[in-house]
Amino acid sequence: MLIAKIIENDQLIQATQASNSEIYYCPGCKARVQLKKGNINIPHFAHINGSNCDVSAEGETVNHLQGKLALFTLLKQKYDEVRLEPWLSQIKQRPDLMVRKGKDWFVIEFQCATISLEKVRARTKGYRQLNYKVIWILGENYQNKRLQARTIAKFAIIYQQQLQVAFWQPTKGIVWQAWWQIDGKSRVLKRQMMANQPQQLLKLQQAVMQSKPEVWPIQNELYKIKRLVIGIPWECHPQYSLPGGLKVAQWQVIIRVLLTLEKQPRTSFQLMKLLTEFPWQRFGCLSVKKVQKIWLNYLLDDLISGGIIKRTGDRIVLVRTLKWFNTYQEKLQAKLKIDTTNFLS
């Protein structure tokens, strides 16, 4: 850790300013700590062997200590007040940093090591009990590998009306990346149009031929109205990936939304209820409802842009009849015809 207390006067001091002639102790557990200052490692404090401090940051790597100090220096230039490793006695937690802008306080956790979802949730909950906003910033270890959706979900927050994750890069500072993904399997990407609708259809055809369980519920529902899952309208194969969290293929939710609107107009609140029937990632800093709301808003905006639906007051209305197909080949040929027409025009 980078902050300790001087035992004589209860004053907080940074390790870079500390002297070996003083006695220091942990602001949290009050146990004796040792100043470690050399020519190689960054000056820091460490609990003496045998301590069982629950909030100790023992085992901090050089990258973590360097990143924390760099963040401290950077944030001092942008915020009204910055605190390094403040001890929050009410909840017995010590975040890496706290910053203030006007009257608003933000807690910043700089995360380099692996951490469980439960710990992220517990720490975030503690800070929010004190009405602090929380931002997790991921260090180098999280940038040297392909991140899985469940990992990103631990740290994602809503920033600038998008689902985003913050990363620390020494040459660039704090970098925010929006989380756009397909089927919850791709890494953090910029949102862009997908020209892979035929591939989506092929994947669906394979799922049907292999009788995969994920297509059974919607297949059974469509049988009742004399339709086939392979024949769902092309509008159900999205051109844009939607913000992360959904753990099934997007077409499954889109078709349920469109089938519901086919019966009668619905409110956004009513459509939100449909989303709860599908599996979603477990988030560390957000409620699933907030993620579902963002997901639905982007879907509705895409459908409105495509001239498929419109808003009338507080209702969502289907404005044109969608084309259903009987076979894989019929559907594929229709797509090729549309693409050829658009290219020639």
Side-chain angles (χ1 to χ4, degrees):
M1 59 185 179
L2 301 175
I3 297 289
K5 279 190 176 183
I6 300 176
I7 197 167
E8 292 181 354
N9 56 19
D10 218 32
Q11 177 185 355
L12 290 172
I13 188 169
Q14 290 188 42
T16 53
Q17 302 169 343
S19 169
N20 286 318
S21 61
E22 295 283 357
I23 297 176
Y24 304 99
Y25 67 92
C26 173
C29 70
K30 305 297 189 294
R32 178 84 176 270
V33 294
Q34 180 181 2
L35 174 64
K36 299 206 170 192
K37 195 182 250 187
N39 296 326
I40 300 177
N41 294 328
I42 294 174
H44 64 282
F45 298 102
H47 283 74
I48 297 175
N49 291 338
S51 171
N52 60 353
C53 177
D54 291 335
V55 295
S56 171
E58 303 292 4
E60 285 184 300
T61 65
V62 172
N63 285 341
H64 187 253
L65 291 169
Q66 287 178 333
K68 195 187 302 186
L69 285 173
L71 280 168
F72 178 68
T73 302
L74 173 68
L75 296 172
K76 282 177 65 177
Q77 303 171 15
K78 298 184 177 183
Y79 287 86
D80 300 329
E81 184 178 351
V82 181
R83 297 179 184 176
L84 182 64
E85 294 182 349
W87 170 245
L88 305 177
S89 58
Q90 307 97 310
I91 57 175
K92 296 184 179 180
Q93 292 179 223
R94 182 174 57 219
D96 289 321
L97 296 144
M98 282 184 61
V99 299
R100 179 178 61 82
K101 193 77 168 180
K103 296 181 179 180
D104 295 326
W105 280 97
F106 297 80
V107 162
I108 294 178
E109 287 282 16
F110 178 51
Q111 194 64 34
C112 292
T114 302
I115 185 173
S116 68
L117 174 66
E118 287 68 29
K119 285 187 177 180
V120 172
R121 283 181 165 181
R123 289 188 192 178
T124 301
K125 181 179 179 181
Y127 300 137
R128 286 179 177 165
Q129 287 176 2
L130 303 179
N131 296 318
Y132 296 144
K133 299 176 182 179
V134 188
I135 300 173
W136 291 77
I137 299 178
L138 303 186
E140 183 179 355
N141 290 349
Y142 285 91
Q143 300 172 57
N144 293 335
K145 57 186 177 182
R146 187 183 181 100
L147 297 183
Q148 296 183 357
R150 64 175 179 270
T151 299
I152 303 174
K154 291 180 189 178
F155 309 106
I157 67 171
I158 298 173
Y159 176 69
Q160 295 182 342
Q161 298 181 332
Q162 294 189 65
L163 195 62
Q164 299 205 54
V165 180
F167 295 87
W168 168 253
Q169 297 180 5
T171 58
K172 297 180 180 179
I174 300 173
V175 177
W176 288 91
Q177 290 185 300
W179 182 15
W180 298 101
Q181 60 175 43
I182 305 168
D183 294 349
K185 295 178 182 176
S186 65
R187 65 181 302 170
V188 179
L189 296 170
K190 181 178 179 181
R191 190 175 196 234
Q192 56 189 356
M193 182 175 285
M194 301 180 297
N196 68 343
Q197 281 73 26
Q199 289 90 336
Q200 293 180 39
L201 175 61
L202 177 59
K203 185 177 179 180
L204 177 57
Q205 170 76 343
Q206 292 171 340
V208 172
M209 296 296 291
Q210 296 169 11
S211 297
K212 290 190 174 181
E214 59 263 31
V215 302
W216 292 348
I218 189 66
Q219 180 74 296
N220 292 335
E221 186 175 340
L222 291 175
Y223 272 146
K224 296 175 183 178
I225 55 176
K226 298 181 180 180
R227 292 174 179 174
L228 300 173
V229 67
I230 194 63
I232 61 175
W234 274 112
E235 290 82 356
C236 296
H237 298 277
Q239 290 186 319
Y240 290 95
S241 57
L242 300 176
L246 186 63
K247 295 176 72 173
V248 298
Q250 293 179 164
W251 67 264
Q252 295 188 37
V253 186
I254 296 174
I255 188 59
R256 290 293 289 280
V257 169
L258 293 176
L259 286 174
T260 300
L261 293 176
E262 192 177 76
K263 297 175 183 177
Q264 64 182 63
R266 304 282 182 171
T267 64
S268 294
F269 178 77
Q270 290 171 323
L271 294 179
M272 274 283 290
K273 288 186 176 181
L274 287 176
L275 304 189
T276 62
E277 300 175 11
F278 295 90
W280 294 76
Q281 295 289 342
R282 298 173 63 210
F283 285 80
C285 308
L286 293 170
S287 69
V288 174
K289 285 186 178 180
K290 288 185 177 180
V291 178
Q292 290 170 341
K293 185 175 181 180
I294 290 179
W295 194 98
L296 181 62
N297 285 339
Y298 272 106
L299 171 62
L300 296 180
D301 287 345
D302 288 344
L303 294 177
I304 289 172
S305 298
I308 300 168
I309 64 172
K310 69 176 182 180
R311 294 183 185 271
T312 302
D314 65 343
R315 301 275 172 171
I316 312 297
V317 181
L318 191 67
V319 295
R320 65 180 173 89
T321 302
L322 302 179
K323 172 67 175 176
W324 286 76
F325 303 92
N326 295 316
T327 66
Y328 172 86
Q329 288 299 330
E330 177 192 357
K331 183 173 176 179
L332 186 60
Q333 289 174 5
K335 174 65 175 174
L336 295 175
K337 183 177 180 181
I338 293 172
D339 291 344
T340 301
T341 302
N342 291 338
F343 176 78
L344 294 177
S345 62

